[in-house]
Amino acid sequence: MKAGDLLRLDRATSVQFMIPITVRVIRKLDWITYDGWCWIDCYQLDDKGDAIARRSLFLMPEHATYVPPPPPRQTPVGRKPLARKPLKVG
C-alpha cells in the first residue's frame, strides 16, 4: 500500500465499514498495532472520485480491494485549457 492507491473498504477490511467506502491513501502510518492491522491517512471519496473527508483509519490491508484509477478527465469539447502566463520576477 502506497500513497495514491485507491482502495475499496468493506466489512472484510474492518467491522467499521458496514457501508463500503472508497479512499485514496495519503500514507500508511508506522504506529504499532495488532498483527495484520495498520493505520492509514486517507481521503474518503464520493461516487465521482472527489475527496469529501480526510480520515485516519484502522484496517486489515490484506482484505482491502485495490481499485483501478479512473481515466483522466477530459476538457469539454470546444473549450481550450486555460493558458498560464509566465511569472515576471523583478
Side-chain angles (χ1 to χ4, degrees):
M1 179 180 322
K2 63 185 184 314
D5 283 347
L6 297 178
L7 304 175
R8 184 75 173 165
L9 307 178
D10 59 17
R11 193 167 168 89
T13 314
S14 176
V15 295
Q16 65 186 312
F17 305 116
M18 297 275 301
I19 299 171
I21 64 171
T22 303
V23 299
R24 177 177 295 115
V25 176
I26 299 170
R27 66 181 172 205
K28 182 177 176 183
L29 300 168
D30 57 358
W31 298 348
I32 298 171
T33 66
Y34 298 103
D35 286 337
W37 291 80
C38 73
W39 281 93
I40 62 170
D41 276 339
C42 61
Y43 291 109
Q44 183 176 343
L45 306 177
D46 64 12
D47 293 337
K48 295 182 280 184
D50 296 325
I52 56 172
R54 183 172 177 168
R55 300 181 67 178
S56 294
L57 301 174
F58 185 58
L59 55 94
M60 296 178 71
E62 71 178 40
H63 296 290
T65 304
Y66 285 81
V67 178
R73 295 184 182 179
Q74 299 293 321
T75 303
V77 177
R79 277 185 100 178
K80 295 181 181 179
L82 296 174
R84 295 186 180 262
K85 295 180 181 179
L87 182 63
K88 293 182 181 180
V89 179

